Amino acid sequence: MPDAPDLVLFDLDHTLLDGDSNQLWLGWLVERGEAPAARLDEQAAHYARYQAGTLDIDAYLAFHLSLLVGRPVAAWRPLRDAFAAERIAPRVGPAARAAVERHRARGDALAVVTATHDFLAEGIVALLGAPPLVATRCEVAQGRFTGRVDGTPCFAAAKAGRVRDWLAAHGRRWEDFPSVRFYSDSANDLPLLEAVSDPVVVDPDPRLAAIAAARGWPREAWARNAPG
């Protein structure tokens, strides 16, 4: 175990899991009559903007958090956990699991850093031994989701600041680590990839693949290509 562990950050969607958790969650809810099918068209439009790098993160989060309004948090948890077991677990491949376990065994400080809201993400990271989570926070009042974000969304240029805030809350600093590594698939994560000492692209989207090739960044393949 190293005397001075590294800080290792993982993106969630299309990195640790082969797919988009918000998209899969919505589809699962629609299948069970928990959300109207018309929502799928809205999701598709948002996702196209995400891929193009033009996503309005506030509108996207408002869309997804609106799904949770009207029911206590405690009532949502069994649904979320069933979703994670049924739809997410098959999409977390052995390469992703091995990467998390390799860094955990080295004693590195780990965190999953994602724009996905914390309620959904918590159910997913539990499948990986519950590493620390830096995510968009859902606002909760009187045991129910309000449909609003609590604080700054953990997206794009804001991710590095959210990581620094998380470290500070635990009495640590980014500069305390000999190296900081970040694994991601998305060009939307370019600000954090550029901020760390060791960027690693994982099954990158076309925009990030081109940037990584030009800069000589290492590239890994973790996708499980699970059906459904």
Side-chain angles (χ1 to χ4, degrees):
M1 183 175 295
D3 293 331
D6 296 331
L7 174 61
V8 180
L9 310 172
F10 298 90
D11 176 49
L12 182 63
D13 299 307
H14 295 288
T15 302
L16 286 174
L17 68 95
D18 186 6
D20 181 86
S21 57
N22 289 294
Q23 191 170 30
L24 292 166
W25 169 239
L26 176 57
W28 193 83
L29 292 177
V30 169
E31 288 175 15
R32 282 153 185 76
E34 300 286 350
R39 291 279 192 146
L40 296 173
D41 291 335
E42 295 177 65
Q43 166 64 28
H46 281 297
Y47 193 65
R49 289 188 284 272
Y50 172 81
Q51 291 179 308
T54 60
L55 179 67
D56 180 336
I57 188 61
D58 294 319
Y60 186 61
L61 289 168
F63 167 67
H64 272 282
L65 293 178
S66 70
L67 299 170
L68 303 176
V69 174
R71 184 179 298 178
V73 175
W76 276 114
R77 286 198 183 100
L79 288 170
R80 179 204 62 191
D81 293 345
F83 160 75
E86 180 181 324
R87 289 293 166 87
I88 298 298
R91 290 178 172 269
V92 180
R97 292 182 183 276
V100 172
E101 290 309 315
R102 180 172 67 250
H103 287 292
R104 183 178 279 138
R106 287 189 70 250
D108 292 330
L110 309 181
V112 175
V113 187
T114 179
T116 297
H117 61 77
D118 56 356
F119 176 73
L120 184 57
E122 283 169 2
I124 296 171
V125 300
L127 302 172
L128 290 159
L133 178 65
V134 181
T136 299
R137 295 186 296 266
C138 302
E139 184 182 76
V140 175
Q142 298 181 331
R144 294 175 179 267
F145 295 107
T146 67
R148 295 186 295 270
V149 170
D150 178 8
T152 303
C154 188
F155 180 69
K159 279 192 171 183
R162 288 292 312 278
V163 171
R164 288 182 179 276
D165 290 345
W166 166 71
L167 288 170
H170 292 83
R172 309 187 78 172
R173 301 179 308 149
W174 184 291
E175 292 76 17
D176 293 338
F177 299 93
S179 71
V180 181
R181 177 171 298 197
F182 179 39
Y183 295 95
S184 179
D185 74 290
S186 175
N188 290 290
D189 281 336
L190 192 58
L192 184 51
L193 286 163
E194 292 176 331
V196 303
S197 60
D198 294 274
V200 182
V201 300
V202 179
D203 303 300
D205 63 34
R207 289 190 297 137
L208 182 56
I211 293 168
R215 300 184 184 183
W217 289 350
R219 175 171 175 166
E220 299 190 13
W222 295 359
R224 178 131 190 177
N225 296 313

